Amino acid sequence: MNFLDYVLQQLLNALSLGSLYALVAVGLSIIFGIMRLTNFAHGDVMMVGAFGAVLSIAAGVPFIPAIVIGVAVASMLGILIERIAYRPIRKAPDVARLLTSLAVTYILENVGIVIFSSSPRNFPIPTWLDGSWQLTGGITLTNITLLTIAVSAGSLLLLGWFTTRTTAGLGMRGAAEDPDAAQLVGLNVNKLIVIAFLLASAYAGLAGVLWAAQAGAVDPQMGFTPLLKAFVAAIVGGFGSIAGALVGGYMLGALEILIVAFLPSSVSPYRDAIVFALLIAFLLFRPGGLLQPNREIKL
């Protein structure tokens, strides 16, 4: 494999990893944009979606419908979390909402450990998804990578259409700008927040299923690392901005692949340290993110 083919191979890897980070970061940004809440339970919603798909497959459901079930389970969980945990403290101080978010995270994670144990569980994938394509120059494109890129791109394009072309999407953007003004003009802010949690949790569930399919395993603590990486991606792009979450997710995926594929092997173990050093740099020198130079938070 020559250098150009090697670069193209790593580009495919970066697209796959960046797609997963973008899916999780988009969900974080949707909720932050409309509620100014950092939902640390988002990673555990991702885990629940993955387990929903695993249990569906174990019950004999085909792979694609199992993905849909996993996404639906995550969406319903997101609505329950909003109604039970976040709505009662919506007007509470930021620190109270942050602590509630952390509490929900630990509750979901420990419930998962009690039900499924902390040991990883195999994530079965069908034979048609286990194959690969050999492209020109020795470039390998696995079916799971192709599925991840295609499904992520399609779902993110659908989100763009929803937020710019539908009444609910435009209402969410209006509520993100000014909830009080949105309520004064007749928008049902409670309903819009529920829709935001449903959407954000659906993307977390989809990311969880795709992440577990690539890893081949699922466990109750699987959402922790993707959540942290997606948080960094959202900060880099501009927290609360959907477009910023996309940019940050793909940038972070490309950065991690760059570190592993092109830098000396002695640097690879410090990949996470480099990622969080990037977060600190953005917080110090560009806290609004790449797409928000004026530091305003917008959905």
Side-chain angles (χ1 to χ4, degrees):
M1 181 183 293
N2 59 42
F3 181 73
L4 179 59
D5 292 331
Y6 183 74
V7 170
L8 292 175
Q9 178 70 72
Q10 301 311 318
L11 177 61
L12 288 173
N13 296 337
L15 282 174
S16 178
L17 182 60
S19 296
L20 296 175
Y21 288 156
L23 287 174
V24 184
V26 159
L28 283 174
S29 291
I30 289 174
I31 294 175
F32 185 85
I34 200 167
M35 283 192 65
R36 301 300 186 268
L37 169 70
T38 304
N39 182 24
F40 286 109
H42 200 66
D44 295 286
V45 174
M46 174 181 170
M47 173 268 293
V48 169
F51 268 107
V54 166
L55 295 178
S56 299
I57 294 171
V61 178
F63 184 76
I64 297 300
I67 293 179
V68 176
I69 292 173
V71 171
V73 169
S75 300
M76 295 303 102
L77 177 62
I79 293 174
L80 286 175
I81 290 173
E82 189 279 328
R83 185 65 185 88
I84 296 172
Y86 295 148
R87 186 175 298 186
I89 61 162
R90 192 176 295 169
K91 301 297 183 181
D94 290 344
V95 65
R97 299 196 298 165
L98 175 63
L99 291 175
T100 300
S101 176
L102 292 173
V104 174
T105 297
Y106 283 107
I107 289 171
L108 291 175
E109 186 175 306
N110 283 279
V111 168
I113 291 174
V114 169
I115 296 175
F116 301 108
S117 84
S118 59
S119 301
R121 178 176 297 202
N122 181 54
F123 189 97
I125 59 175
T127 54
W128 62 266
L129 197 57
D130 202 26
S132 62
W133 300 81
Q134 293 297 324
L135 306 181
T136 304
I139 300 173
T140 301
L141 177 62
T142 63
N143 289 342
I144 186 61
T145 297
L146 181 60
L147 179 70
T148 299
I149 295 173
V151 170
S152 300
S155 61
L156 293 171
L157 287 173
L158 183 62
L159 178 63
W161 171 83
F162 176 82
T163 56
T164 58
R165 295 290 186 269
T166 66
T167 302
L170 293 171
M172 283 173 51
R173 295 175 66 186
E177 288 283 347
D178 192 330
D180 294 329
Q183 197 160 12
L184 286 174
V185 299
L187 293 177
N188 188 333
V189 175
N190 282 336
K191 181 179 178 180
L192 293 173
I193 290 175
V194 169
I195 293 173
F197 268 87
L198 186 149
L199 276 176
S201 301
Y203 280 92
L206 180 60
V209 175
L210 294 175
W211 185 284
Q214 289 210 11
V218 59
D219 69 86
Q221 297 173 314
M222 62 170 285
F224 180 73
T225 298
L227 174 71
L228 288 183
K229 298 295 181 66
F231 183 73
V232 174
I235 292 292
V236 169
F239 211 14
S241 166
I242 291 177
L246 294 179
V247 171
Y250 284 104
M251 278 188 58
L252 190 61
L255 175 62
E256 291 199 8
I257 294 300
L258 170 67
I259 293 171
V260 173
F262 295 99
L263 297 184
S265 58
S266 58
V267 179
S268 296
Y270 303 100
R271 177 179 60 184
D272 290 346
I274 295 172
V275 168
F276 288 107
L278 177 67
L279 170 63
I280 293 172
F282 267 86
L283 290 174
L284 287 174
F285 302 110
R286 199 178 180 91
L290 290 173
L291 301 188
Q292 295 183 163
N294 59 358
R295 301 188 185 184
E296 293 180 4
I297 305 286
K298 298 179 180 179
L299 186 64

